[in-house]
Amino acid sequence: MTETVETLETTAIDSIRVPMRDGVLLAATVYRPAGTDVRPVLLVRTPYNEQMSRTLPVAPALEAGFAVVVQNCRGTAGSGGELWAFENEADDGLDTIEWLRGRPWCNGQ
C-alpha cells in the first residue's frame, strides 16, 4: 500500500518497494517537493531504520531542490532478503540508482 502524506509543501510517499535484480524488494521512503517538477535525487541507504532517518537533513535537501530517497538495506526495516554486511550493497545500490533514473520525478542525476 502506498500512502501519501503532505506536510510543509512536501510530499512524502511511504512504503515504496524497489525491485532488485534477484527479485528482492527493498523498502524506501520518497520525499519530494509538492508538484510535478523533475529534480535530482539524493539517495540514502541505511541499515539503521527509522532512528537514523529522523536525524537526516531532509528539509534542507528539499529546500535545495533535491528529492530525497531513504532506503532500508536488504533484510532491515521492512526490506526483503537477509542482511549480510557488505555482501549485496554494491548491486543493491546500482539497482536502486537505475530504478530512480526511471522515475518521472527524477532528472537522472
Side-chain angles (χ1 to χ4, degrees):
M1 178 177 143
T2 301
E3 177 185 343
T4 301
V5 181
E6 295 199 30
T7 58
L8 302 173
E9 302 293 321
T10 300
T11 301
I13 303 172
D14 296 322
S15 300
I16 299 297
R17 301 287 184 219
V18 181
M20 300 296 105
R21 65 188 70 187
D22 62 358
V24 170
L25 299 176
L26 301 186
T29 302
V30 177
Y31 300 93
R32 58 187 177 86
T36 58
D37 290 347
V38 177
R39 301 180 178 272
V41 178
L42 174 63
L43 172 63
V44 178
R45 300 188 72 250
T46 179
Y48 298 115
N49 197 4
E50 194 256 335
Q51 306 95 319
M52 185 274 225
S53 63
R54 278 187 276 166
T55 63
L56 290 173
V58 172
L62 293 171
E63 290 169 4
F66 290 88
V68 179
V69 175
V70 180
Q71 183 181 60
N72 297 307
C73 292
R74 184 180 290 251
T76 67
S79 286
E82 292 184 42
L83 177 64
W84 293 92
F86 309 109
E87 184 71 27
N88 297 297
E89 298 313 310
D91 287 344
D92 288 353
L94 288 172
D95 291 351
T96 301
I97 290 168
E98 285 303 312
W99 181 87
L100 287 170
R101 292 182 70 185
R103 302 305 94 199
W105 39 265
C106 176
N107 71 0
Q109 296 180 347

